[in-house]
Amino acid sequence: MQCPLLYRFRVIDKLPQKPSEAATRGTLVHAVLERLFDKPAAERTPGGATALIPGQWDRLLESKPELGELFAEDPEGERLARWLGQAEQLVERWFSLEDPTRLEPAERELFVETELESGLRLRGVIDRIDVAPTGEVRIVDYKTGKAPRPEYAEGALFQMKFYALVIWRLKGVVPRRLQLVYLGSGDVMTYDPVVADLERVERKLLALWEAISLATRTGEWRPRPTKLCGWCDHQALCPEFGGTPPVYPLTVRPAGPADDDQGRMEPVRAGADLPAALDGH
Ligand code: SF4
């Protein structure tokens, strides 16, 4: 949805990406917020949460030693200390947005997977699911960045509606509320979905998959430059920045009449007007 060429680099060429401080801080904060609920409610305090940070950082480093590269050139440990301090601020800010002493999540970091009637398989990891005594489901996602401006809110909500669609398909229940918690700016965005929203997301996903399938066959992955290019690891290979992509690793089959017969929907050209960018953790 962001940039077809970036999708190709990541998913088809499988080019490695350098770990980033921001993404790793997000992973660390998510781990802390997940583990905090292991404690009894009364111990879920800001101090109790920030005390989890060093241990979770060690666990992260153990499971992904390459993250050590981030602070390889930091002999005095100043950058690491600043970075850990920023993680601490994000965790503390969460307490001004939600009260974990009053929450008992039904699920944390839940891997979900379902198959649509079309055969398209959807997978994701949901940060938190709360279930009210009435059975109403709330899906919660933490973002360590700032809340988007209102004109970009739809892009951020798409991810939540995606999760809602998966839960609806799996459990037959439309989640009552979708909640995005922005720790970077201290905002909470909520949306109460209805069936029509989820059906729309399903149609959008099918169109997106058509676009991906077509581009996979034809090898036509177009760059779509935006201000997010500044975060792209593969600028040096991108024609928009004077680069040349590596040789396409798959057999190319030009688009032809057969493509028109294959989809249930109008084929969508890669780079066509697909929804706005999604915000990762
Ligand atoms: S630099 Fe921008 S346009 Fe090029 S691949 Fe990366 S995200 Fe896409």
Side-chain angles (χ1 to χ4, degrees):
M1 287 167 66
Q2 262 178 21
C3 169
L5 183 58
L6 178 56
Y7 179 94
R8 181 205 136 165
F9 287 155
R10 283 179 175 170
V11 179
I12 294 183
D13 297 289
K14 296 190 167 54
L15 300 180
Q17 305 209 122
K18 284 198 300 284
S20 84
E21 284 190 21
T24 309
R25 189 168 47 231
T27 308
L28 174 61
V29 169
H30 276 74
V32 168
L33 300 191
E34 182 195 357
R35 294 276 63 96
L36 185 67
F37 287 103
D38 293 339
K39 292 176 181 280
E43 291 175 29
R44 296 174 199 157
T45 58
T50 52
L52 293 172
I53 291 177
Q56 289 302 317
W57 173 226
D58 288 346
R59 279 199 55 215
L60 213 55
L61 272 178
E62 221 172 273
S63 61
K64 291 186 180 169
E66 66 275 17
L67 294 178
E69 285 170 32
L70 281 172
F71 303 103
E73 287 160 30
D74 181 28
E76 305 296 319
E78 285 171 17
R79 267 185 36 234
L80 174 61
R82 194 167 54 239
W83 181 83
L84 287 169
Q86 289 160 346
E88 205 165 289
Q89 279 175 6
L90 293 167
V91 167
E92 283 171 346
R93 188 169 293 139
W94 178 54
F95 286 82
S96 66
L97 305 172
E98 295 194 293
D99 178 358
T101 63
R102 300 180 59 195
L103 291 169
E104 288 302 339
E107 304 286 354
R108 290 173 267 157
E109 295 288 324
L110 178 69
F111 175 80
V112 286
E113 176 170 356
T114 191
E115 197 167 297
L116 301 179
E117 277 167 23
S118 61
L120 184 60
R121 201 176 310 152
L122 308 180
R123 292 194 190 113
V125 178
I126 299 178
D127 287 345
R128 199 179 88 213
I129 297 183
D130 301 327
V131 180
T134 52
E136 290 175 311
V137 172
R138 177 170 65 181
I139 298 179
V140 181
D141 195 70
Y142 308 120
K143 300 287 184 200
T144 43
K146 294 180 177 162
R149 292 204 302 270
E151 60 269 34
Y152 296 112
E154 195 47 44
L157 273 176
F158 184 80
Q159 178 197 357
M160 301 303 283
K161 291 180 187 170
F162 177 102
Y163 294 149
L165 170 63
V166 175
I167 292 294
W168 181 38
R169 291 292 181 222
L170 281 177
K171 301 187 187 294
V173 177
V174 175
R176 171 81 177 75
R177 177 153 293 181
L178 310 176
Q179 181 159 310
L180 279 155
V181 180
Y182 288 94
L183 304 172
S185 54
D187 294 297
V188 174
M189 188 197 292
T190 60
Y191 184 80
D192 296 347
V194 293
V195 166
D197 286 317
L198 307 188
E199 289 172 341
R200 210 173 302 126
V201 167
E202 184 166 343
R203 287 197 295 275
K204 209 180 262 189
L205 289 170
L206 289 171
L208 188 57
W209 184 244
E210 286 294 325
I212 291 170
S213 304
L214 182 59
T216 304
R217 292 196 297 276
T218 61
E220 276 189 49
W221 298 93
R222 297 173 192 208
R224 188 185 303 150
T226 64
K227 60 182 179 179
L228 296 173
C229 291
W231 299 95
C232 179
D233 268 351
H234 312 302
Q235 264 192 18
L237 299 172
C238 176
E240 288 292 325
F241 293 85
T244 306
V247 174
Y248 194 53
L250 305 179
T251 307
V252 168
R253 194 163 64 75
D259 290 311
D260 293 338
D261 302 335
Q262 287 187 2
R264 289 155 200 258
M265 314 186 62
E266 286 290 296
V268 180
R269 181 171 48 79
D273 189 24
L274 291 166
L278 283 181
D279 178 20
H281 285 155

